[in-house]
Amino acid sequence: MNIESIDFQSFLDWDNSPFILFNNQSKILYLNNSAEILFGYVSKKELYDLALAYAPPSFGHKTTTLSLNYDSFTFYAITVGYENEEQISIRFYNTPRVKPATAIERDKLVNTNINLLLEANIALFKTKNTNSLQLLADHDLPSFKIDQNGFSKLLRKTLDAFRSSDSIRITLKLLVGEHVIISGKKKAIVQLAIEANGRYSDTDEEIKSLAMQSHISSLLKENSIKLEIPLIQ
Amino acid sequence: MEQFFTSSEQVQNIIKGFNLTKTLFVSSIIIGEPNIGKKSLARYLFPKAPLVSGENQEEVEKLLQEVDELIITDFEKLSNQESLNLDNKRIIATANYMGNQQTIDNLFAFIYTLPSLKERPDDTKHIRDLFIKEAESTLMLTENDFSIADIPINLSNNSKTLKKTIYTYLMKYSMDDKDIQEAIYNYILQNLNGNNEYKEHLGLYEKPLIEAGLKKYGSQLQLSQVLGINRNTLRKKIHEHRID
């Protein structure tokens, strides 16, 4: 069979690992779907510079193991390759997500409008703090199954970390094109991001553990906390 | 339906939080000093929910098995807090104090702090007006009988002392001479012992007599004429009773 007649592009398009092909002027010649999402979090220049830095000394392909982190993306290795002077490619290897040890307790999950829980937690926050707070929520999000009590505790702790922060921005949105596998099924992801000029980190461990119990992945940074919630229906 | 009046932004946010989660199965607790309206607030928000006091531990445990919406008052009095399972239920608890913070933190999704009356001056004024109206009708007084501004405000035990002070104050305006005599009678009955009691208790009569007389007539000279006693006697009595 002549494999040259096979069009490989769609396989690459839907590869879960980001793949980018640059020309020697750092212009993007091709990128797959997963790389498109990655560009939401990192600049073209940064990735091009990375490709140059890890390029093999002469024509060919080189895989380097390194730990890379862009927002919720974590990679454990990259392969950089070039076969001529005009094009250079870079491919990122996703670090496998740690599977939560606890199974989802289905009987605790109740169909919920997440905006209600968020608004109620903001009201609770406002009884204790006077900081200015900006909320950008997607009110078209469908209701989905949440352990309401557990999730509320997580929200309370998360907001509490911003108790003396200024200009708190809260955004709630559906992460387009990103999914998580739960019990063998692909689920969309809702992201709740809280950002400010700074925050307390005294309860970070509790936040992580509460998030894990609810199968939510938590990203805790110096100025922000992001919760990625599986949309289970 | 029972109304819950408040103009405090903090309390309005608490009500907002409860209204948003009214249909959800979350556990909430309202913590605050005694007699500031925690139970009234819970009742106002959930008029149909069964209500049980934490003093009655067995009843709390029984109801937690049977119902999925419950108000638990005096939560601090429950000694088995750690063993309670409040998941997947709509629980509204009230407590006078937090107790073990870790336990409360684990049990409840929403932990609200209701400010005391001292921190809610507008609400206090509203509650005070309600109490005064109530006392007016109970004691059959009209507003011409007294001056509202003169009624002292005592918030040392929140609404309880606020109410008591109003009733004690207004009671004095509803008394006739017979009531006053009876009040003095009861007082003397309890306190009479010793060997100089005639003089000791004379102040009950003389002090208010002279004080009111001075306020009404201004000068000691005029008052001595009204009372029909010698000016020097009056002066001596003013000194005895330490009247300024």
Side-chain angles (χ1 to χ4, degrees):
Chain A
M1 180 180 174
N2 178 13
I3 61 163
E4 275 179 24
S5 66
I6 302 172
D7 179 8
F8 284 95
Q9 186 173 328
S10 68
F11 294 99
L12 198 52
D13 280 345
W14 294 102
D15 187 351
N16 193 33
S17 299
F19 177 87
I20 309 155
L21 187 66
F22 293 103
N23 74 3
N24 57 7
Q25 303 297 310
S26 86
K27 195 173 160 243
I28 295 170
L29 298 174
Y30 168 80
L31 79 170
N32 67 1
N33 292 326
S34 157
E36 212 170 312
I37 296 168
L38 179 61
F39 272 120
Y41 305 100
V42 60
S43 71
K44 184 179 82 172
K45 177 159 193 321
E46 191 173 339
L47 294 189
Y48 182 69
D49 289 348
L50 191 76
L52 292 189
Y54 288 94
S58 63
F59 296 139
H61 296 264
K62 192 179 96 177
T63 301
T64 313
T65 308
L66 79 176
S67 174
L68 275 176
N69 196 337
Y70 301 110
D71 202 77
S72 62
F73 287 88
T74 52
F75 305 109
Y76 70 92
I78 52 170
T79 297
V80 179
Y82 60 100
E83 285 167 349
N84 54 47
E85 296 285 354
E86 272 78 52
Q87 296 152 6
I88 182 166
S89 75
I90 180 166
R91 184 179 189 276
F92 298 82
Y93 298 83
N94 283 307
T95 310
R97 276 179 191 258
V98 185
K99 272 200 173 170
T102 52
I104 283 198
E105 294 176 71
R106 286 248 167 211
D107 55 330
K108 273 197 180 181
L109 302 182
V110 184
N111 229 14
T112 309
N113 176 355
I114 188 178
N115 279 303
L116 284 183
L117 279 180
L118 181 59
E119 296 259 9
N121 267 286
I122 290 173
L124 171 66
F125 183 81
K126 283 185 178 165
T127 66
K128 295 183 282 188
N129 309 285
T130 52
N131 334 20
S132 72
L133 208 142
Q134 213 182 60
L135 173 67
L136 196 76
D138 178 356
H139 284 277
D140 293 333
L141 277 180
S143 288
F144 56 98
K145 291 198 163 135
I146 303 182
D147 163 12
Q148 298 181 337
N149 215 34
F151 185 67
S152 294
K153 284 181 204 166
L154 171 63
L155 275 184
R156 167 162 60 85
K157 290 267 169 211
T158 306
L159 279 169
D160 256 355
F162 294 88
R163 57 192 177 270
S164 50
S165 312
D166 287 332
S167 53
I168 306 165
R169 290 177 310 283
I170 304 176
T171 43
L172 181 69
K173 62 178 182 195
L174 193 71
L175 287 186
V176 179
E178 295 185 49
H179 294 90
V180 61
I181 306 286
I182 288 193
S183 311
K185 284 183 187 146
K186 205 164 147 186
K187 306 286 178 197
I189 301 173
V190 173
Q191 190 197 60
L192 175 70
I194 306 175
E195 291 160 287
N197 60 335
R199 67 176 187 88
Y200 285 101
S201 54
D202 51 343
T203 54
D204 280 11
E205 287 312 309
E206 272 180 84
I207 292 172
K208 282 183 202 162
S209 124
L210 278 169
M212 198 130 86
Q213 282 168 29
S214 300
H215 289 246
I216 291 168
S217 76
S218 52
L219 297 144
L220 294 98
K221 300 254 173 80
E222 199 184 335
N223 297 323
S224 70
I225 297 181
K226 285 180 186 168
L227 301 175
E228 296 193 342
I229 308 147
L231 200 148
I232 302 172
Q233 279 181 312
Chain B
M1 196 172 91
E2 204 178 325
Q3 286 295 310
F4 191 91
F5 172 89
T6 184
S7 60
S8 146
E9 201 181 329
Q10 212 175 334
V11 183
Q12 277 164 357
N13 268 319
I14 297 178
I15 294 175
K16 183 179 173 191
F18 268 112
N19 279 331
L20 285 165
T21 55
K22 230 169 197 176
T23 57
L24 306 180
F25 290 103
V26 292
S27 50
S28 315
I29 187 166
I30 312 169
I31 299 173
E33 288 179 18
N35 313 312
I36 56 170
K38 301 186 292 293
K39 192 171 149 187
S40 312
L41 180 60
R43 241 301 154 250
Y44 159 71
L45 290 163
F46 299 89
K48 291 198 178 113
L51 186 145
V52 61
S53 162
E55 282 177 324
N56 197 341
Q57 188 160 316
E58 272 175 34
E59 186 69 14
V60 172
E61 283 167 355
K62 190 173 146 258
L63 281 166
L64 279 176
Q65 301 282 330
E66 291 169 1
V67 300
D68 53 12
E69 182 177 82
L70 182 64
I71 300 175
I72 308 173
T73 60
D74 310 296
F75 194 80
E76 76 279 2
K77 291 191 177 139
L78 279 171
S79 57
N80 63 336
Q81 292 178 356
E82 282 92 351
S83 65
L84 298 175
N85 181 4
L86 306 184
D87 282 340
N88 271 17
K89 289 187 173 28
R90 193 173 302 128
I91 305 296
I92 307 94
T94 67
N96 289 345
Y97 51 86
M98 173 85 87
N100 185 334
Q101 187 172 355
Q102 193 62 51
T103 309
I104 298 294
D105 208 74
N106 289 336
L107 282 175
F108 293 97
F110 291 87
I111 303 169
Y112 297 105
T113 309
L114 191 64
S116 73
L117 290 189
K118 283 179 213 87
E119 298 161 80
R120 290 150 53 195
D122 287 348
D123 292 5
T124 302
K125 196 181 162 298
H126 177 81
I127 298 168
R128 180 170 176 254
D129 290 348
L130 286 180
F131 283 156
I132 291 173
K133 268 213 170 73
E134 182 192 295
E136 243 176 48
S137 112
T138 312
L139 301 172
M140 296 193 291
L141 291 167
T142 64
E143 272 184 36
N144 303 327
D145 296 329
F146 58 92
S147 147
I148 289 183
D150 291 340
I151 304 177
I153 299 173
N154 179 349
L155 295 177
S156 58
N157 200 357
N158 295 298
S159 69
K160 229 177 187 160
T161 46
L162 182 69
K163 190 171 185 172
K164 181 177 185 275
T165 316
I166 291 169
Y167 268 85
T168 317
Y169 184 86
L170 292 185
M171 187 82 85
K172 295 164 195 161
Y173 287 87
S174 71
M175 287 179 163
D176 57 19
D177 52 354
K178 212 161 168 265
D179 293 328
I180 296 169
Q181 281 167 4
E182 268 173 31
I184 296 177
Y185 173 88
N186 287 330
Y187 175 82
I188 292 179
L189 202 59
Q190 278 174 27
N191 293 287
L192 199 64
N193 51 18
N195 51 23
N196 190 24
E197 289 301 272
Y198 183 86
K199 249 194 126 180
E200 280 291 311
H201 290 101
L202 205 53
L204 286 176
Y205 163 70
E206 284 187 338
K207 197 167 179 244
L209 178 71
I210 297 168
E211 279 174 342
L214 284 173
K215 187 164 169 88
K216 193 162 180 182
Y217 294 101
S219 80
Q220 293 178 17
L221 178 70
Q222 225 180 332
L223 182 58
S224 66
Q225 281 166 3
V226 171
L227 294 177
I229 59 173
N230 189 291
R231 244 175 75 199
N232 285 329
T233 316
L234 178 61
R235 188 163 297 163
K236 213 177 89 195
K237 288 197 181 292
I238 287 174
H239 184 72
E240 250 173 54
H241 297 300
R242 298 192 180 86
I243 299 167
D244 299 325

